[in-house]
Amino acid sequence: MKIGIAGAGMIVPTFLDAAALVENMEIHALYARKEEVRRELCEKYGIPEQYASYEEMLSDPEVDTVYVALPNALHYPFSRQALEAGKHVILEKPFTVTWEEAKELADLAREKKLYLFEAITNQYNPNYEKMRKLLPKLGEIKIVQLNFSQYSSRYDKFKEGVISPVFDPKMAGGALTDINIYNIHFVAGLFGKPISVHYYPNMERGVDTSGILVMQYPTFQAVCVGAKDCGGLSCLSVNVQGDKGFLHSTDAPSILAEFSFQENKGEPEVFSLADSPERLYYELAAFAKYYEESDWEAFERRLNHSLLVMEILTMARDPRNQEIQ
C-alpha cells in the first residue's frame, strides 16, 4: 500500500517511525499547509511527494490510503473527502466528534467497499489481548478503574490565553476526546456496551481540562479518569478487579507496556509482551495484515467497535441524554 499523510502534527513523526517497521507499508506523500514543516518531514523521512493542497494529494493515483492526523474537528470532513476520492482511511483518535459523523463515514466506506480504520494503540497491544484472555480467571468483575493523567505541555500557555487545538472547544479539544478516549476504548473493548454513561468534567475557558467518566455495567462500575491539567507517571494506572483476582498496571492505558495478574491468595504474574519500541507499530501492523488479506470481517469488527466508542463519547458530552438504549 502507498500512504498519503494529511497533517504534520506531533503524532506524525511517531507514525512515520512505526510505519517504517511495517512490511509493505510505504509512505508516498504528505499534505501540510506550512511549507517549512512539510519540507522538513519529507526530507527527514524520504517521502517522495509533498503537497500544499489536500485535493492534489487525493488526486495522486499512487496514493491508495490516507492517514488523517489533523485536529479532532477536521477528522470527519477530511476522511469523508478521502473516501469520496476512493481512498482507504486510517483515522487518528478520536474517530470523529459525534456518533452521527462516525456513522456517516462508516456507511460511506461500506458503500464504496473501502477500509476505514481507527488508529488506537491499546486495541492492538499484545498485553491488552492477554488481559482479555485472563478476564475469566478474575471471577465476577467488581471494579474497573483507569487513570490517564498527563500534564500537557500546552497547558501553561492555555492558562495564559494561548489556545492550541487540543484545548480549543471549537476544534473538539479537551481531556475527554484527547486522553480519556483511550480509557473508553480500553473498557469498551473488554466489556462492550455499558448501560449508562456519565461524565463529570473540570471546565476552564469552556473546555474540559480534566474529568471523570463513569460507565455503568450490569454488575460493576468502570471509572475512567483523564487529565491534561495535572498528574504524572505516578498517577497512571489500570485496575480490573474481580472476586477471584485482579489485573494491574502502572502504565498509561495508551501504552500498557507491562501488567500483572494475581488470583486471590496467589502469586503475581507479570506480563510484558509488547516488545516493539514504537507504540503505534501494532495498530499499523494490524491494518497492513487486514489490508493484505482483504479481511473485511476484521475491518468490520474494528469499525463497529469504533462506532460503539463514539456512541459512548457522544453521550458523555451530552448530559441531557446519557442512557444507552
Side-chain angles (χ1 to χ4, degrees):
M1 78 195 74
K2 292 188 177 182
I3 294 178
I5 299 174
M10 292 174 64
I11 193 63
V12 172
T14 305
F15 173 89
L16 289 166
D17 288 337
L21 302 178
V22 179
E23 189 176 358
N24 298 323
M25 182 170 283
E26 178 182 338
I27 309 303
H28 177 74
L30 174 79
Y31 155 73
R33 290 182 303 168
K34 295 181 179 179
E35 180 180 359
E36 182 180 346
V37 174
R38 188 172 67 241
R39 185 175 62 251
E40 181 179 338
L41 277 172
C42 288
E43 289 177 356
K44 180 177 179 180
Y45 289 94
I47 302 173
E49 302 293 336
Q50 53 179 290
Y51 293 99
S53 164
Y54 186 51
E55 289 74 17
E56 286 185 18
M57 188 178 79
L58 292 180
S59 298
D60 186 335
E62 293 294 308
V63 172
D64 56 38
T65 303
V66 174
Y67 170 58
V68 178
L70 293 161
N72 299 343
L74 301 179
H75 286 189
Y76 168 78
F78 275 75
S79 296
R80 185 175 187 88
Q81 198 172 346
L83 291 169
E84 288 173 342
K87 313 295 186 183
H88 305 297
V89 173
I90 301 173
L91 180 53
E92 261 303 324
K93 59 81 188 169
F95 205 57
T96 52
V97 178
T98 67
W99 178 85
E100 289 78 12
E101 289 181 347
K103 183 63 164 56
E104 284 186 30
L105 291 183
D107 289 345
L108 181 59
R110 288 161 175 159
E111 176 189 333
K112 288 184 162 290
K113 302 295 183 183
L114 294 168
Y115 305 138
L116 176 61
F117 180 88
E118 183 176 14
I120 183 74
T121 52
N122 55 31
Q123 294 303 294
Y124 305 93
N125 186 316
N127 289 319
Y128 183 79
E129 188 56 37
K130 184 63 177 180
M131 274 190 167
R132 186 196 308 280
K133 292 177 180 178
L134 289 170
L135 280 179
K137 293 188 175 183
L138 303 187
E140 185 176 344
I141 302 300
K142 297 296 184 181
I143 294 290
V144 176
Q145 178 270 326
L146 296 91
N147 189 332
F148 191 176
S149 295
Q150 181 174 281
Y151 193 88
S152 172
S153 60
R154 299 182 178 95
Y155 183 59
D156 289 337
K157 288 291 186 182
F158 169 77
K159 289 190 292 183
E160 296 170 2
V162 180
I163 313 299
S164 61
V166 76
F167 282 114
D168 188 347
K170 295 178 182 178
M171 297 301 291
L176 181 65
T177 54
D178 185 62
I179 205 162
N180 220 337
I181 189 73
Y182 288 104
N183 294 333
I184 297 174
H185 272 282
F186 201 107
V187 175
L190 293 179
F191 303 108
K193 181 182 290 190
I195 297 171
S196 66
V197 177
H198 298 278
Y199 186 50
Y200 306 94
N202 294 318
M203 303 293 292
E204 294 182 55
R205 298 179 183 270
V207 71
D208 60 318
T209 55
S210 57
I212 298 172
L213 177 75
V214 180
M215 300 163 64
Q216 181 184 2
Y217 285 86
T219 62
F220 67 91
Q221 306 289 334
V223 178
C224 301
V225 177
K228 296 182 69 63
D229 55 8
C230 60
L233 291 176
S234 61
C235 298
L236 304 174
S237 64
V238 173
N239 293 287
V240 181
Q241 301 166 216
D243 60 5
K244 293 183 179 180
F246 64 88
L247 303 170
H248 172 69
S249 176
T250 56
D251 291 322
S254 62
I255 302 295
L256 196 66
E258 183 177 284
F259 77 96
S260 62
F261 160 68
Q262 186 171 349
E263 293 180 291
N264 292 349
K265 299 181 181 180
E267 293 296 320
E269 296 180 65
V270 178
F271 296 91
S272 181
L273 306 176
D275 55 4
S276 174
E278 300 298 333
R279 63 187 176 92
L280 303 189
Y281 169 77
Y282 295 105
E283 64 196 58
L284 298 184
F287 178 86
K289 182 176 184 294
Y290 301 159
Y291 181 97
E292 293 297 323
E293 297 175 357
S294 298
D295 192 343
W296 288 98
E297 183 179 344
F299 276 117
E300 185 68 16
R301 184 174 67 252
R302 297 299 187 176
L303 186 53
N304 284 333
H305 168 77
S306 292
L307 288 170
L308 170 58
V309 169
M310 283 310 307
E311 184 179 4
I312 294 168
L313 182 65
T314 299
M315 292 185 175
R317 299 177 74 189
D318 184 1
R320 298 170 299 174
N321 179 23
Q322 296 190 338
E323 297 296 322
I324 290 186
Q325 302 302 317

